[in-house]
Amino acid sequence: MRMYRTLLAGTLALLTAMPAVAQNEGGLIVTAEAEKKVTRDFSVTLEADMRTRNNFKTMDRWSVGLDASYKINKWLKADAGYTLLNNNFREDISYKTTGTYNTGNVGRAYNNWRPSYWGIRHRFHVSLGGSYKFKNNLKVSLRERWQYTYRPEKTVDRWDFDNEQWEDKVRGSKGKNQLRSRLQVEYDKKRALFTPFANIELYNSWAVEKIRYNIGTDIRLSKQHSLSVFYRFQDMRQVDDGEYDPDMHYLGVGYKFKF
């Protein structure tokens, strides 16, 4: 019980550090994983997930990925993988300035509207993670992950309010490097039914772009089957001008199978 209280105190401190947000949405995350242990130290995982946004009303994305991990020693593990993402990119409305500053009659009017659309992204990652487990079953881990995400060029529809007609808009290809740093604490007792955890993860690309706070628990159903339930708050720090990318509150559930 003492360790549960310690974990709870740390979690409350983590939640207290979250900033208050004025503009946010809710969403759902559903994940599934299948892990195959090839050798004692080497394993391969196939994973998929689905996410919603707009307070659970709109499909946001789905993805499928393959990851290979190698346990270097008792406390250090490396992994690498690829993920195919299909995103429902949000709509975008651009404005133009109307009137003149001399007359004081300055305003804004619609210029172009690009509806939401589905588009593919490719993501590659390499990670190195270390962990230490205390005698009281409290486990602390730190993972550093580099990821590269590539969005191919795509032609989408756009409505021109000036000419009152649809036109083709080419969204150019774009690549992005990010460093993800995650610190996690969990109560990891062998063969326990529940494994509660809390973590914080920073996405950095020359500046902190977003921070994820997670709290939840893994639920051991059997030696091969487990569930995970969690809450996630995603704090957006660097958002491109003119884009709507709100802070997110997620409820998540996951299933994992080991064979």
Side-chain angles (χ1 to χ4, degrees), residues 20-26 233-236 239 243-249:
V21 294
Q23 191 177 66
N24 53 75
E25 291 182 2
F233 174 67
Q234 186 166 280
D235 177 19
M236 302 303 298
V239 179
E243 287 194 8
Y244 177 69
D245 202 355
D247 297 334
M248 294 294 300
H249 298 271

Side-chain angles (χ1 to χ4, degrees), residues 1 13 23 56 65 69 117 131 135 146 191 197 201 203 238 243:
M1 290 299 296
Q23 191 177 66
F56 307 94
S69 63
Y117 71 95
S131 63
K135 292 182 180 180
W146 165 83
R191 289 188 291 274
F197 62 85
E201 185 171 18
Y203 285 63
Q238 299 287 333
E243 287 194 8

Side-chain angles (χ1 to χ4, degrees), residues 2-244:
R2 178 179 299 176
M3 294 319 305
Y4 279 103
R5 290 196 296 268
T6 302
L7 182 64
L8 178 60
T11 300
L12 291 176
L14 183 68
L15 294 175
T16 303
M18 296 181 186
V21 294
Q23 191 177 66
N24 53 75
E25 291 182 2
L28 176 69
I29 301 176
V30 179
T31 68
E33 296 182 31
E35 180 182 327
K36 171 63 176 176
K37 202 172 185 66
V38 182
T39 66
R40 186 182 68 175
D41 299 320
F42 180 71
S43 61
V44 178
T45 301
L46 178 66
E47 50 193 15
D49 84 1
M50 178 276 295
R51 300 183 187 182
T52 65
R53 65 171 188 252
N54 191 25
N55 297 327
F56 307 94
K57 297 190 289 286
T58 303
M59 184 70 73
D60 186 48
R61 87 175 199 192
W62 62 260
S63 68
V64 59
L66 186 65
D67 181 89
S69 63
Y70 180 74
K71 192 172 183 180
I72 300 172
N73 55 40
K74 185 177 180 181
W75 57 272
L76 189 63
K77 185 173 73 171
D79 71 273
Y82 164 77
T83 304
L84 174 69
L85 305 105
N86 192 15
N87 281 76
N88 184 6
F89 290 98
R90 295 177 183 268
E91 67 175 355
D92 179 69
I93 300 176
S94 61
Y95 300 88
K96 63 180 179 180
T97 303
T98 61
T100 63
Y101 288 97
N102 292 332
T103 62
N105 186 27
V106 178
R108 292 198 309 171
Y110 292 128
N111 187 24
N112 296 299
W113 170 56
R114 189 202 71 216
S116 61
Y117 71 95
W118 287 90
I120 294 293
R121 293 190 299 162
H122 305 276
R123 177 171 293 167
F124 304 88
H125 74 263
V126 177
S127 308
L128 187 64
S131 63
Y132 184 81
K133 187 175 180 178
F134 296 89
K135 292 182 180 180
N136 54 16
N137 297 311
L138 187 67
K139 184 178 180 181
V140 179
S141 61
L142 175 65
R143 187 193 70 187
E144 295 290 347
R145 168 172 289 182
W146 165 83
Q147 72 177 27
Y148 174 75
T149 307
Y150 175 73
R151 185 193 72 196
E153 180 182 294
K154 186 177 179 67
T155 300
V156 298
D157 292 328
R158 184 174 71 175
W159 178 256
D160 187 336
F161 285 98
D162 291 330
N163 299 314
E164 296 186 346
Q165 64 180 17
W166 289 100
E167 61 184 15
D168 291 337
K169 165 65 176 177
V170 177
R171 295 202 75 192
S173 60
K174 183 178 180 181
K176 187 172 187 176
N177 290 283
Q178 283 183 310
L179 179 65
R180 297 170 54 175
S181 304
R182 188 189 71 183
L183 178 64
Q184 177 166 291
V185 58
E186 58 185 301
Y187 183 69
D188 184 21
K189 186 176 182 180
K190 193 172 183 179
R191 289 188 291 274
L193 176 60
F194 297 101
T195 303
F197 62 85
N199 63 57
I200 179 173
E201 185 171 18
L202 280 69
Y203 285 63
N204 198 312
S205 181
W206 301 110
V208 176
E209 297 186 328
K210 65 181 175 183
I211 305 176
R212 281 180 177 173
Y213 304 86
N214 293 280
I215 176 174
T217 184
D218 294 327
I219 306 170
R220 185 178 185 271
L221 303 179
S222 68
K223 186 176 180 179
Q224 292 181 303
H225 305 271
S226 64
L227 292 177
S228 179
V229 291
F230 61 91
Y231 162 76
R232 172 182 295 171
F233 174 67
Q234 186 166 280
D235 177 19
M236 302 303 298
R237 294 297 183 94
Q238 299 287 333
V239 179
D240 293 337
D241 292 338
E243 287 194 8
Y244 177 69

